[in-house]
Amino acid sequence: MVSTGVGRLRQGHVYRQGALGRRPAVPTDDAALERAARRAMSDRAWAYVAGGAGQGRTMTRNRRAFDAWGVLPRMAHGHAVRDLSLDVLGHRLAAPVLLAPVGAAGLVRRDADLAVARAAAATGTTYVLSNQASSPMEQVVAELGGSPHWFQLYWSKDEGLVDSLIGRAEATGAQALVVTLDTTVLGWRPQDLDLGSLPFSRGIGIAQYTSDDRFTEIVRTRVAAAAREGRDAVEVTVGAVRTLLDIARHHPGRFRDNLRAPEPRASVETFLDVYSNPGLSWDHLATLRSRTSLPVVLKGVLHPDDARRALDLGADALVVSNHGGRQVDNAVASLDALVQVREAVGPDPTLLLDSGVRTGADVFVARALGADAVLLGRSPIYGLAVAGQRGLEEVLGNVVAELDLTMALAGTPDLGSITRDALVAQHA
């Protein structure tokens, strides 16, 4: 994205609309955006999207890590044009920002993944499709209209299902396969636990599975076994009825038919059994090269030794991430881990940063500390909650606009010129 001022263009649009009495669809300040999203979201949706592991210390640490660095602007640099574009895995990105996979976004709105895809297409942003989406990947890709996408994979206990999901991702034209390593089990998440709320148990966020031939084969086997053994009883409570209604509503097919059929509930039970493999190992990951021709991105790497081993195994890129602070409480900040990983692997490997990134200034800092690009997760979903597709588009536009303005004011004409020299460590 070569620009004489994409930031100024965004500012100018907002101010011109303001002169007509119109305000942005979503707040441009991140804290205000978060508050607006809280008002717009249900308790369950807010707990799942905004919540973190344990006491939330990793989430706090992610943000404080950015505060520990100050941008050191340079004056009279004479650069009137900036280039925000870069090559990642053989493809040109207009800006160093991708849309992170966000599971169970259907809690926010039923068509969340489709709306995210439309926003990605409208803004030219690469979208990493979630394995835990509320719409099948084929439907999501149809909304992208040819815009680039990657696919996130959670490694199932069933190897046939792993192959099926990879094959479907390849068939949709995905440009990369992103294997999430840090969610072999769910972290301890008090916000969800206090509500007794797991979206997948209500059929929300399992559309990649219920649309998969291998998964439905496993479900049919389960249903047949249950019928033979006569074990289909459910404790009847008001909550159970509501859960069954939700399951029927989110399962493929007609709602009325789903209420009578055993498959919807069996699908949820099967998902909970096979969803993620707690025994995931480097031996599993070593098989990827024989299972896909797509570039392989490993997400959730924090330790330098793991980064080196992943690259030795043939990974094409790594995402330095602590899952937005949702898995391990009191874990190292992703930004701090990025510094160590980059020092360990050298300048050449492709590293992306996820967790704690909120603003364009954050993207600048991440670039200076070794990230090629960043993934945005919570903020776009907040925009979606507040103002739908338009809100999400504005969040993405605001982040890129602020990055552009930060580069302009710091004297960095392109991404390559954003180096550690552009930062100063800030001491508390």
Side-chain angles (χ1 to χ4, degrees), residues 303-305 307-308 338-346:
H303 197 291
D305 289 348
R308 282 188 285 255
L338 170 70
V339 174
Q340 295 184 346
V341 168
R342 180 55 84 188
E343 289 176 352
V345 304

Side-chain angles (χ1 to χ4, degrees), residues 207-220:
Q208 307 296 16
Y209 298 80
T210 56
S211 59
D212 190 272
D213 289 343
R214 171 57 185 164
F215 183 81
T216 54
E217 177 186 342
I218 301 170
V219 170
R220 284 194 297 270

Side-chain angles (χ1 to χ4, degrees), residues 65-215:
F66 282 96
D67 294 339
W69 296 94
V71 177
L72 184 62
R74 301 301 301 271
M75 300 298 111
H77 46 73
H79 301 304
V81 177
R82 290 163 300 288
D83 185 358
L84 277 63
S85 65
L86 75 163
D87 288 321
V88 174
L89 301 182
H91 298 277
R92 197 72 176 168
L93 273 61
V97 174
L98 298 85
L99 275 164
V102 177
L107 282 167
V108 177
R109 51 184 284 171
R110 180 76 180 270
D111 67 341
D113 301 286
L114 305 179
V116 174
R118 291 191 292 268
T123 59
T125 307
T126 296
Y127 179 22
V128 185
L129 274 63
S130 174
N131 201 149
Q132 306 313 125
S134 297
S135 297
M137 66 180 85
E138 292 82 4
Q139 293 181 15
V140 177
V141 170
E143 296 296 326
L144 282 168
S147 291
H149 69 282
W150 300 0
F151 179 72
Q152 175 208 33
L153 175 74
Y154 279 114
W155 205 288
S156 170
K157 291 179 184 177
D158 185 86
E159 293 293 319
L161 180 55
V162 172
D163 285 328
S164 182
L165 290 168
I166 291 174
R168 289 171 62 197
E170 291 175 336
T172 67
Q175 294 179 347
L177 181 70
V178 182
V179 182
T180 294
L181 306 180
D182 58 13
T183 316
T184 52
V185 295
L186 290 178
W188 185 257
R189 302 176 184 176
Q191 292 91 335
D192 291 326
L193 290 163
D194 287 347
L195 295 173
S197 175
L198 180 66
F200 314 124
S201 67
R202 311 179 80 87
I204 300 170
I206 66 171
Q208 307 296 16
Y209 298 80
T210 56
S211 59
D212 190 272
D213 289 343
R214 171 57 185 164
F215 183 81

Side-chain angles (χ1 to χ4, degrees), residues 381-415:
I381 296 301
Y382 291 162
L384 181 71
V386 174
Q389 178 184 337
R390 179 186 168 193
L392 199 159
E393 290 177 18
E394 287 196 5
V395 168
L396 292 173
N398 292 342
V399 169
V400 174
E402 187 184 7
L403 170 62
D404 177 61
L405 291 171
T406 303
M407 291 173 63
L409 294 167
T412 50
D414 53 38
L415 298 179

Side-chain angles (χ1 to χ4, degrees), residues 341-366:
V341 168
R342 180 55 84 188
E343 289 176 352
V345 304
D348 295 331
T350 299
L351 299 183
L352 294 89
L353 178 72
D354 169 283
S355 305
V357 184
R358 297 288 186 272
T359 70
D362 292 343
V363 180
F364 186 97
V365 170

Side-chain angles (χ1 to χ4, degrees), residues 262-348:
E263 284 80 9
R265 182 161 59 87
S267 293
V268 167
E269 293 168 347
T270 301
F271 167 82
L272 295 173
D273 283 347
V274 306
Y275 146 69
S276 193
N277 186 349
L280 180 64
S281 70
W282 293 106
D283 289 339
H284 288 94
L285 299 175
T287 68
L288 282 169
R289 280 296 166 216
S290 64
R291 300 170 93 152
T292 182
S293 59
L294 293 176
V296 172
V297 182
L298 298 184
K299 181 176 182 287
V301 174
L302 294 170
H303 197 291
D305 289 348
D306 288 343
R308 282 188 285 255
R309 185 162 187 177
L311 294 171
D312 288 344
L313 208 61
D316 296 282
L318 307 177
V319 181
V320 179
S321 168
N322 57 34
H323 214 91
R326 294 165 56 76
Q327 282 297 92
V328 178
D329 190 26
N330 207 26
V332 62
S334 291
L335 187 68
D336 292 339
L338 170 70
V339 174
Q340 295 184 346
V341 168
R342 180 55 84 188
E343 289 176 352
V345 304
D348 295 331

